[in-house]
Amino acid sequence: MVGMKPSDTPPTLGVKLLSAGSAACIADLVTFPLDTAKVRLQIQGEKVVSEATKGIRYRGVFGTISTMIRTEGPRSLYNGLVAGLQRQMCFASIRIGFYDNVKNFYSGGADTANIGIRILAGCTTGAMAVSFAQPTDVVKVRFQAQVNLTGVARRYTGTMQAYKHIFNHEGIRGLWKGCLPNITRNALVNCTELVTYDLIKEAILRHNLLSDNLPCHFASAFGAGFVTTCIASPVDVVKTRYMNSPPGQYKSAINCAWTMATKEGPTAFYKGFVPSFLRLGSWNVVMFVSFEQLKRVMMVGKQKMEDKS
């Protein structure tokens, strides 16, 4: 199981949900500028965005960050942070916190699960999380895409105002816009991320390369981040473009993908790959290390409370 040694007392579902959500928020706080840079690179080339930014051109992850600081100020790197933290508390709690339980359910409680069971569990919790937390992702992406320049009208002024504005102008469907590509993307991300982390960590421990501590967690998380970025990047770009688009620009997520392919070529699907990898790699390291430690601290605290009672 993710984050457990065979001798550990299994953490309760509540501990896993809370530690997963908290760890994901910590990871978002650390890596959010990389995610914002990724979004800006992914939407670069769209007509609406090009007209708003005029002569501004983003080149590479660190060039994008530098350009944003110079033209919009350092706070622009954290556009959408509130919605991002809301998203992680809803999203990561479900997709990571429920993973072991769903895996055990599919395996019938067996001590070990084959790769097919793990993939199915990852896809299931990823899809569950998106279905619940999609509005927070829509608001986060739109804030990150929003350009804070003098003379450029801002679409949204605050997180709650954004939820209300989207609901009033686009209806309930606007809050769940891009849900299908996001489910596809996060099913891929979740099963790749968690299964790869699971397999790498198990292999390291099985061959006694490292003990179950920080270096092991770091190596497993970094490997999971790279594999996940390679597989999920095309879907991630389509998801970002579609969720950020104004009503009527694209008929569907498939139409968005087709427009990108015909007008910008296949390389458009890997726009922002470097920031995606830097973000996923660093995010996975911070999240999984925090998740492991928070879970252990919570279990120790829970055990002490039980001993006192």
Side-chain angles (χ1 to χ4, degrees):
M1 295 183 184
V2 173
M4 282 185 59
K5 293 184 288 187
S7 59
D8 285 340
T9 301
T12 62
L13 178 60
V15 167
K16 286 187 283 190
L17 292 174
L18 182 58
S19 57
S22 300
C25 286
I26 293 171
D28 248 26
L29 285 169
V30 174
T31 64
F32 206 79
L34 293 172
D35 192 43
T36 302
K38 178 201 74 172
V39 169
R40 290 294 180 92
L41 285 167
Q42 286 177 339
I43 64 173
Q44 186 166 255
E46 288 191 315
K47 183 179 179 182
V48 174
V49 177
S50 298
E51 289 177 352
T53 58
K54 296 182 179 178
I56 296 175
R57 184 76 181 171
Y58 302 121
R59 292 182 175 86
V61 55
F62 297 112
T64 299
I65 291 173
S66 176
T67 299
M68 289 181 64
I69 292 173
R70 188 178 70 253
T71 59
E72 303 173 54
R75 291 183 62 182
S76 64
L77 297 174
Y78 283 89
N79 280 350
L81 178 62
V82 173
L85 297 179
Q86 292 172 349
R87 173 181 179 267
Q88 292 301 351
M89 283 307 298
C90 300
F91 182 70
S93 297
I94 295 172
R95 77 178 185 92
I96 298 170
F98 272 111
Y99 173 71
D100 283 337
N101 294 70
V102 173
K103 184 172 68 175
N104 289 339
F105 173 77
Y106 284 144
S107 65
D111 291 335
T112 58
N114 61 43
I115 191 169
I117 292 294
R118 298 178 197 222
I119 290 173
L120 184 59
C123 289
T124 300
T125 58
M128 287 170 54
V130 172
S131 299
F132 181 71
Q134 180 68 4
T136 62
D137 203 13
V138 172
V139 172
K140 178 185 80 78
V141 166
R142 292 195 183 187
F143 261 105
Q144 288 176 312
Q146 182 169 269
V147 179
N148 300 324
L149 294 174
T150 303
V152 177
R154 299 183 66 181
R155 295 172 76 182
Y156 312 109
T157 57
T159 304
M160 299 312 296
Q161 181 267 339
Y163 288 117
K164 184 177 179 181
H165 183 277
I166 293 170
F167 178 77
N168 289 338
H169 289 80
E170 301 176 46
I172 194 71
R173 292 181 64 181
L175 290 171
W176 266 267
K177 187 173 186 178
C179 192
L180 182 58
N182 211 12
I183 285 177
T184 304
R185 182 239 181 209
N186 281 291
L188 284 171
V189 166
N190 205 48
C191 71
T192 307
E193 190 175 80
L194 295 179
V195 172
T196 305
Y197 181 84
D198 240 356
L199 293 174
I200 293 175
K201 183 179 175 185
E202 284 183 6
I204 290 172
L205 297 177
R206 185 170 60 250
H207 295 288
N208 296 316
L209 299 175
L210 295 168
S211 58
D212 189 5
N213 53 24
L214 182 60
C216 174
H217 305 157
F218 181 94
S220 303
F222 191 80
F226 179 75
V227 175
T228 302
T229 307
C230 292
I231 292 176
S233 188
V235 182
D236 188 37
V237 175
V238 173
K239 179 214 76 166
T240 300
R241 288 277 187 102
Y242 186 61
M243 287 199 306
N244 184 59
S245 65
Q249 183 174 355
Y250 302 116
K251 296 178 182 178
S252 65
I254 295 175
N255 174 251
C256 177
W258 176 254
T259 301
M260 287 172 58
T262 54
K263 291 189 175 181
E264 301 176 56
T267 56
F269 293 99
Y270 281 91
K271 276 190 173 181
F273 180 84
V274 173
S276 289
F277 171 59
L278 289 175
R279 195 259 177 180
L280 263 180
S282 56
W283 192 93
N284 275 353
V285 169
V286 176
M287 193 285 296
F288 277 115
V289 169
S290 301
F291 180 47
E292 302 266 10
Q293 300 309 312
L294 285 171
K295 192 161 55 174
R296 290 175 182 177
V297 168
M298 288 182 187
M299 287 302 293
V300 169
K302 182 174 180 292
Q303 188 63 50
K304 286 182 178 178
M305 290 178 63
E306 290 176 351
D307 291 342
K308 287 182 180 179
S309 62

